[in-house]
């Protein structure tokens, strides 16, 4: 075969800058970019080397192109910084064409993956730690016992007592308490389980847990300050942590010293522990993102020189009212399916498009429908800014089954969702009805029980629905008069059902348009319960403002809405947009900025 020798020659001509470029860009790329690179060798032979050349041009300027054009100097000026990275990159290129002679290259791929795998496993950089869990961690996440990798876990006896006190009831806390108790029972009943030596956490099938679970089987000696009441459960846990810290502070025969850390969701508990000189930390595994600014926005601005760089490689064609562009280059690994891209530059025509296909090192962009134009109004509603137009394209696309919208108050989330829902239910007959629900978490003091049926009880929580329906009915009625508006309101009300989240378990929605409002107040488990209600032909829209979370113990990083946005990004039938600009009123916009 003439194919294997050709890439070997090409590889010898690459400069160190070109070899270094894929390593730099892959750090910023997505999980999908690694899969694309692995599939390139199977599909296109020497094509991946072209991609490396382009990346080298982006990252290192002209040296990569010059080396390829002159074919005389593969490495004009190897710098000491890029020299150590030259060998692994060369191995990576060589292993892509081992078809002709696999034998010489067998040892090299085995040596290449080992360096990145080692630091990933040993994050502590020392012996395994001993984590003492507070009761609220077990009640918050019943699977937390298996989230500590190679480290060991210690449960004080008072934690088991508190766990026993929370197991009664139908709340989520009670369910988590019962599930934790069943998990502890399964670990203790496993074969060859010895409580004195610690229960192996991987005996129930959780192979990622490499540590052991220890129970307090004997009283421990500790001395806390007199100001801390000895009878309180939190203080007893602090005393256990102090006793364990003193016990493991020095090396003993057959046992090395180790760090003892208290893990608690209670902020005051962690403050007291640090005041006593004890190590304490929050339970981090429930957080999807460490920083809310890292949340996937759903849109990406193209660089100012985008068309200049793509002028020779871009392909375009027309299909109906849409224009398609096939692009390539270092931008592609950073894109997701259904992500919106836009190009805006002074003196040049703007472009707004959505990524519809990513294959190998190319991506296909599809131009959008302009819903800001009066002829494309949706139930009398026109979009007023770029992000609203992106959102309306997702809401009106029948191929998109799941849409998440985030943004501050007044950005039009509920209005656009209702307008597109009414159009697709009453005009297009795509769905049979609109089902609307929300998390019933009050901002202030609860007003108590509400009378009436399920829909009547949900009425006070659905003020946003009433406000938006009033606006939509007024805009659509035109000159129909009072009777016409009343008939329109009656028709709209007959196709909208307000449901409580408390009764969603076990339901299946067929051909429904489901709106979940105030989704930032849902936990990831509640979000999963609601999304899995979707049957054939159902579309679900989740909306919320991550800056207005009213649920206790939920943060921007652990909210169910953040969880859904992060897990569904890149799915071909899902989309997300962060709405940036408020359109409610100048007063609301100013208040959002300054208050």
């Amino acid at each position: 075969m003439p194919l294997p020798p050709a890439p070997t020659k090409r590889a010898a001509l690459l400069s160190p800058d070109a070899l270094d470029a894929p390593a730099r860009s892959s750090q910023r790329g997505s999980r999908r970019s690694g899969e694309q690179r692995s599939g390139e060798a199977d599909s296109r032979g020497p094509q991946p080397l072209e991609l490396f050349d382009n990346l080298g041009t982006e990252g290192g300027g002209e040296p990569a192109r010059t080396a390829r054009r002159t074919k005389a100097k593969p490495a004009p000026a190897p710098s000491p910084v890029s020299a150590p990275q030259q060998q692994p990159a060369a191995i990576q290129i060589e292993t892509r064409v081992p078809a002709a002679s696999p034998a010489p290259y067998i040892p090299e791929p085995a040596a290449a993956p080992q360096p990145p795998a080692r630091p990933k496993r040993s994050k502590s950089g020392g012996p395994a730690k001993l984590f003492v869990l507070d009761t609220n961690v077990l009640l918050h996440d019943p699977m937390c016992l298996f989230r500590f990798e190679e480290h060991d876990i210690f449960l004080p006896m008072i934690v088991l007592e508190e766990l026993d006190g929370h197991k009664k009831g139908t709340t989520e806390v009670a369910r988590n308490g019962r599930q934790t108790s069943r998990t502890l029972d399964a670990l203790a009943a496993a074969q060859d389980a010895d409580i004195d030596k610690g229960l192996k956490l991987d005996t129930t099938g959780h192979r990622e847990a490499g540590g052991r679970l220890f129970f307090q089987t004997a009283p421990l000696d500790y001395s806390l300050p007199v100001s801390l009441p000895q009878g309180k459960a939190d203080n007893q846990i602090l005393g256990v942590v102090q006793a364990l810290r003193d016990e493991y502070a020095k090396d003993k025969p057959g046992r090395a010293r180790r760090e003892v850390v208290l893990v608690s969701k209670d902020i005051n508990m962690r403050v007291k522990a640090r005041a006593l000189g004890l190590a304490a930390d929050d339970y981090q595994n429930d957080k999807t993102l460490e920083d809310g600014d890292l949340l996937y926005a759903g849109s990406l601005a193209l660089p100012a020189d985008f068309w200049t760089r793509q002028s020779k490689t871009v392909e375009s064609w027309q299909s109906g009212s849409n224009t398609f562009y096939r692009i390539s280059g270092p931008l592609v690994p950073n894109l997701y399916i259904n992500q919106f891209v836009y190009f805006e530059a002074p003196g040049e025509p703007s472009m707004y498009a959505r990524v519809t296909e990513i294959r190998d090192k190319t991506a296909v962009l599809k131009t959008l429908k302009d819903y800001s134009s009066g002829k494309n109004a949706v139930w009398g509603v026109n979009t007023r800014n770029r992000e609203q137009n992106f959102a309306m394209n997702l809401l009106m696309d029948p191929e998109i089954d799941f849409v998440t919208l985030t943004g501050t108050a007044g950005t039009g989330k509920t209005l656009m969702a209702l307008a597109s829902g009414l159009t697709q239910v009453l005009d297009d007959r795509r769905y049979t009805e609109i089902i609307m629900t929300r998390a019933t978490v009050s901002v202030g003091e609860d007003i108590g029980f509400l009378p009436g049926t399920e829909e009547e009880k949900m009425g006070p929580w659905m003020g946003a629905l009433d406000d938006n329906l009033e606006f939509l009915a007024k805009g659509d009625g035109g000159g129909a008069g009072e009777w016409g508006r009343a008939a329109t309101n009656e028709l709209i009300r007959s196709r909208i059902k307000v449901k409580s989240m408390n009764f969603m378990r076990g339901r299946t929605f067929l051909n429904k348009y489901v709106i979940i409002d105030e989704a930032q107040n849902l936990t990831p488990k509640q979000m999963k319960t609601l999304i899995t209600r979707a049957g054939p032909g159902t579309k679900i829209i989740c909306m919320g403002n991550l800056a207005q979370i009213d649920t206790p113990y939920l943060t921007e990083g652990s909210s169910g809405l953040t969880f859904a946005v992060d897990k569904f990004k890149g799915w071909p039938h899902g989309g997300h947009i962060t709405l940036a600009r408020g359109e409610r009123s100048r007063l609301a916009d100013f208040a959002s900025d300054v208050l």
Side-chain angles (χ1 to χ4, degrees), residues 101-218:
S101 53
Y105 298 99
I106 289 175
E108 294 184 18
Q114 286 178 359
R118 204 169 286 144
K120 200 173 183 179
R121 181 64 183 155
S122 57
K123 292 182 180 177
S124 59
K129 297 179 182 179
L130 182 64
F131 288 104
V132 181
L133 300 190
D134 194 0
T135 315
N136 49 45
V137 178
L138 297 169
L139 296 175
H140 177 76
D141 181 9
M143 301 302 292
C144 66
L145 296 170
F146 310 106
R147 310 293 193 199
F148 289 90
E149 298 183 343
E150 75 272 16
H151 304 290
D152 295 334
I153 296 173
F154 188 94
L155 292 183
M157 197 57 65
I158 189 63
V159 169
L160 298 179
E161 289 288 334
E162 285 195 304
L163 202 62
D164 188 63
H166 285 89
K167 67 181 182 182
K168 299 179 180 65
T170 57
T171 62
E172 186 177 358
V173 171
R175 281 193 291 268
N176 290 344
R178 290 192 294 269
Q179 185 176 344
T180 302
S181 299
R182 287 191 289 267
T183 302
L184 295 175
D185 181 59
L187 290 171
Q191 189 176 5
D192 300 329
D194 188 350
I195 290 184
D196 293 332
K197 295 180 180 178
L199 305 176
K200 295 186 67 176
L201 290 169
D202 59 358
T203 54
T204 55
H206 297 84
R207 300 299 176 191
E208 69 276 8
R212 291 176 177 267
L213 173 64
F214 295 93
F215 292 98
Q216 181 186 355
T217 56

Side-chain angles (χ1 to χ4, degrees), residues 16-89:
D17 292 330
L19 291 172
D20 187 32
R24 283 199 303 268
S25 65
S26 64
Q27 292 174 359
R28 299 181 55 192
S30 66
R31 181 175 58 221
R32 192 173 60 256
S33 64
E35 297 169 0
Q36 292 167 356
R37 283 198 293 274
S38 65
E40 288 167 0
D42 300 330
S43 58
R44 298 213 172 180
Q47 289 292 334
L49 296 173
E50 286 287 347
L51 179 60
F52 291 168
D53 256 353
N54 292 339
L55 287 169
T57 307
E58 293 293 327
E62 285 296 317
R65 248 194 323 239
T66 310
R68 204 176 138 198
R69 208 179 294 128
T70 58
K71 299 187 178 181
K73 298 179 181 179
S79 65
V81 177
S82 60
Q85 298 178 357
Q86 192 169 354
Q87 187 178 355

